[in-house]
Structure formats: structure tokens, C-alpha cells
């Protein structure tokens, strides 16, 4: 039986690369994001290239109750999901107090509330059935406070913590939960985040989204709890664990100018 993966944020960047990775492994897909045209285009490409079937669902996941609406739509279409990939997410660069409150609240809803509800809705089904996969895209930002992107880093810490807890809780039910923690990656993320004037971006080498997708898929299939992508990112996350806590936020603040 061909398995089906539901991927949020499949219209660009890491989500699109994950869709290609799963399709390459023979999975059918449910592609979710706001931009319907991009999803339809990708669905056709995946059919032509890998012969897999995709359903496209256009929805804004930063809106109240969107996880329930998405779950209902999946049931309405009679689709059985074997893997949930919570990838849709966003972040905004700038001082915390200067961020419009509505934007911050939408980010919290998308990165935290919807992700949590989808884990709950699909996780329950997987648990009752005795198998299933959940891949949550966190970030290396999860390991450090982020002056300049305070809300973003905090949401990713939440995603990492939730995923590690669910990995332990759901293991006995046959459900694998993995948190993927990419560093800076080729996608639309930084354009949307407004980091154009950020000096540090000049020195950062972006990882191809396809590499993140490949490593995340492998980690999920191996049943790993957490995967940090790339040697430098692994070193960074390990190093910050051993530094005095009082040093870390000021260090990040100086890099985020
Ligand atoms: N790029 C990096 O350096 C990096 C590093 C670590 C972690 N990440 C994480 O990786 C994930 C994917 O980001 P990316 O880098 O691939 O950026 P991206 O190219 O901007 O992709 C974001 C995806 O999320 C979707 N999305 C955004 N807001 C949405 C909403 N309100 N409702 C539904 N879908 C929404 C977008 O589709 P639509 O616009 O069509 O809705 C798009 O498909 C995010 O969780 C991000 O935090 C990225």
C-alpha cells in the first residue's frame, strides 16, 4: 500500500523539498499552503517525475481553528494520512516592541497553535491505529534565545520541546516523532523575515533545502528524536549548551544587528 504524507508549507523552500523527497520515496502527498497555484504546479511535477498522486489544500494556517478545518477537509476527501509534516512557519526580524501585535500573534498561531493542534488531531489517529510519523520542522534557533527575532526563536524552542516530549509519549503507540533543526537554508524565509540589512547574512552559507529534506526524512525513518542539520550547526548547538547562560543572548544580540 502506498503511504500518504501531509506536508504543510509545501509551496516553497524546505516544504517543497520535503514534498520532492517523500515523492521520490514513493509516498502520495497532501500538499498544504496558502498559494494554491504553486501547490497545483508542484502536484503536477511530482506526478510527472515520480508518478505519485497529490491532493492540494489551500488554507491559511495562522487563522483560528485552521487545524480543525484542515483535518476535516482531509476526512471529507477520505484520505488516510501516514505521516504529518509540520513545516509551515515564519519569523520576522526586528525589535520585539516594534513588531505589530497582529503579526506576532499570527506567527504564534502558525508556529505553535496550529502545529500543536495538528499533532493532536493526527497523533490521536496514528496512536489509535498503532503507527504513524510526525516530522516537526524546528530550527537551530530553538537552542538559543533570539534578540532581534525573539518570538521566532521562542516558538522554535516550543516546537523542539513538544517534539521531544511526544517522541517519548507516543513511542509505545508505534508513532515516531522527529524534530528537524535546520540552520540557515535556501528558501523564501529570509526575504519574508526582512533580514536584508542584517550584516551577519553576508557571512552565512545557506544549506540547500534538498539536503535538509533528505536528512530530515532519514532521521524520521530511523526514529530519531532530533536531527540538527550540518556540522557547523551541530557544533553551534553543542557549544551554546556549555556557555554560561548570561553570555548567550548578548552574543546573539551582537550578531543580529
Ligand atoms: N530557511 C531557513 O533558514 C530555516 C531554518 C530553520 C528552520 N526553518 C523553518 O523551516 C520551515 C519552512 O520555512 P522555509 O525556510 O522553507 O521558508 P519559506 O520558503 O518561506 O516556506 C514557508 C512555507 O510555509 C507556508 N506558510 C507560511 N505562512 C503560512 C500560513 N499562514 N498558512 C499556511 N502556510 C503558510 C508558505 O506557503 P504560502 O506562502 O503559500 O502559504 C511556504 O510554503 C519554517 O517552519 C521555518 O521556520 C527555516
Amino acid at each position: 500500500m502506498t503511504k500518504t504524507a501531509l506536508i504543510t508549507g509545501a509551496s516553497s523552500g524546505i516544504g517543497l523539498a520535503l514534498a520532492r523527497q517523500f515523492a521520490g520515496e514513493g509516498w502520495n502527498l497532501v500538499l498544504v499552503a496558502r498559494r494554491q497555484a504553486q501547490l497545483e504546479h508542484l502536484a503536477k511535477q511530482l506526478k510527472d517525475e515520480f508518478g505519485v498522486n497529490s491532493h492540494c489544500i489551500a488554507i491559511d494556517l495562522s487563522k483560528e481553528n485552521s487545524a480543525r478545518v484542515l483535518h476535516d477537509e482531509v476526512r471529507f476527501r477520505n484520505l488516510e494520512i501516514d505521516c504529518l509534516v509540520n513545516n509551515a512557519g515564519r519569523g520576522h526580524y526586528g525589535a520585539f516592541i516594534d513588531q505589530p501585535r497582529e503579526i506576532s500573534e499570527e506567527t504564534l498561531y502558525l508556529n505553535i497553535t496550529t502545529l500543536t493542534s495538528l499533532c493532536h488531531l493526527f497523533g490521536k489517529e496514528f496512536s489509535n491505529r498503532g503507527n504513524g510519523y510526525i516530522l516537526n520542522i524546528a530550527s537551530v534557533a530553538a537552542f538559543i534565545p533570539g534578540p532581534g527575532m525573539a518570538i521566532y526563536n521562542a516558538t522554535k524552542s516550543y516546537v523542539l520541546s513538544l517534539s521531544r516530549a511526544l517522541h517519548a509519549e507516543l513511542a509505545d503507540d508505534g508513532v515516531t516523532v522527529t524534530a528537524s533543526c535546520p540552520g540557515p537554508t535556501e528558501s523564501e524565509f529570509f526575504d519574508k523575515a526582512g533580514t536584508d540589512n542584517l550584516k551577519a547574512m553576508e557571512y552565512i552559507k545557506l544549506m540547500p533545502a534538498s539536503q535538509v529534506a533528505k536528512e530530515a526524512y532519514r532521521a524520521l525513518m530511523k526514529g530519531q528524536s532530533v536531527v540538527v542539520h550540518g556540522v557547523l550547526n551541530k557544533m553551534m548547538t553543542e557549544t551554546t549548551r556549555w556557555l554560561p547562560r548570561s553570555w548567550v543572548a548578548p552574543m546573539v544580540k551582537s550578531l543580529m544587528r
Side-chain angles (χ1 to χ4, degrees), residues 9-15 32-35 59-62 87-90 110 137-140 152 156 182-190 192:
S11 60
S12 65
I14 296 171
V32 182
R34 288 167 302 181
R35 288 171 292 177
I59 184 170
D60 186 342
L61 297 172
S62 68
N87 162 76
R90 71 183 202 192
L110 176 66
I137 308 303
S139 168
V140 290
Y152 179 72
K156 292 301 177 178
T185 304
E186 287 169 1
S187 74
E188 298 176 1
F189 181 85
F190 292 105
K192 293 174 188 164

Side-chain angles (χ1 to χ4, degrees), residues 197-214:
N197 297 325
L198 187 58
K199 204 86 190 102
M201 290 308 292
E202 291 171 23
Y203 310 105
I204 287 172
K205 187 166 166 8
L206 300 175
M207 185 178 277
S210 55
Q211 188 182 335
V212 171
K214 192 174 179 181

Side-chain angles (χ1 to χ4, degrees), residues 20-236:
R20 292 187 60 78
Q21 177 68 35
F22 275 83
E25 302 286 342
W27 291 67
N28 288 330
L29 293 158
V30 180
L31 306 170
V32 182
R34 288 167 302 181
R35 288 171 292 177
Q36 173 102 30
Q38 270 88 338
L39 297 180
E40 302 283 0
H41 180 70
L42 176 61
K44 187 177 176 318
Q45 271 187 347
L46 298 178
K47 180 75 181 171
D48 293 346
E49 225 174 303
F50 303 108
V52 302
N53 296 318
S54 303
H55 282 255
C56 301
I57 302 179
I59 184 170
D60 186 342
L61 297 172
S62 68
K63 300 297 177 211
E64 203 175 335
N65 223 18
S66 47
R68 165 58 70 189
V69 173
L70 173 58
H71 186 257
D72 285 351
E73 182 62 26
V74 168
R75 277 174 41 179
F76 177 72
R77 296 189 192 197
N78 242 334
L79 299 168
E80 182 155 300
I81 304 302
D82 302 284
C83 177
L84 165 69
V85 182
N86 276 310
N87 162 76
R90 71 183 202 192
H92 295 278
Y93 173 64
F96 173 73
I97 49 169
D98 293 339
Q99 303 284 328
R101 218 180 54 238
E102 318 78 71
I103 300 284
S104 300
E105 285 173 1
E106 280 183 8
T107 302
L108 290 170
Y109 209 92
L110 176 66
N111 292 13
I112 291 184
T113 308
T114 298
L115 177 143
T116 307
S117 297
L118 289 174
C119 283
H120 188 253
L121 289 161
F122 287 101
K124 203 165 193 158
E125 283 179 8
F126 297 170
S127 165
N128 289 340
R129 200 174 61 204
N131 60 64
Y133 296 94
I134 298 176
L135 176 62
N136 289 332
I137 308 303
S139 168
V140 290
F143 295 86
I144 47 173
M149 285 190 82
I151 290 177
Y152 179 72
N153 285 42
T155 65
K156 292 301 177 178
S157 297
Y158 173 90
V159 173
L160 178 61
S161 176
L162 179 78
S163 306
R164 294 177 67 192
L166 296 186
H167 179 88
E169 268 195 37
L170 295 175
D172 296 341
D173 302 341
V175 183
T176 300
V177 182
T178 298
S180 148
C181 299
T185 304
E186 287 169 1
S187 74
E188 298 176 1
F189 181 85
F190 292 105
D191 285 344
K192 293 174 188 164
T195 52
D196 307 358
N197 297 325
L198 187 58
K199 204 86 190 102
M201 290 308 292
E202 291 171 23
Y203 310 105
I204 287 172
K205 187 166 166 8
L206 300 175
M207 185 178 277
S210 55
Q211 188 182 335
V212 171
K214 192 174 179 181
E215 290 179 10
Y217 182 84
R218 275 201 198 138
L220 179 69
M221 291 302 127
K222 280 203 288 194
Q224 259 173 255
S225 166
V226 179
V227 55
V228 177
H229 302 276
V231 178
L232 283 178
N233 293 323
K234 283 193 182 82
M235 279 166 58
M236 188 280 282

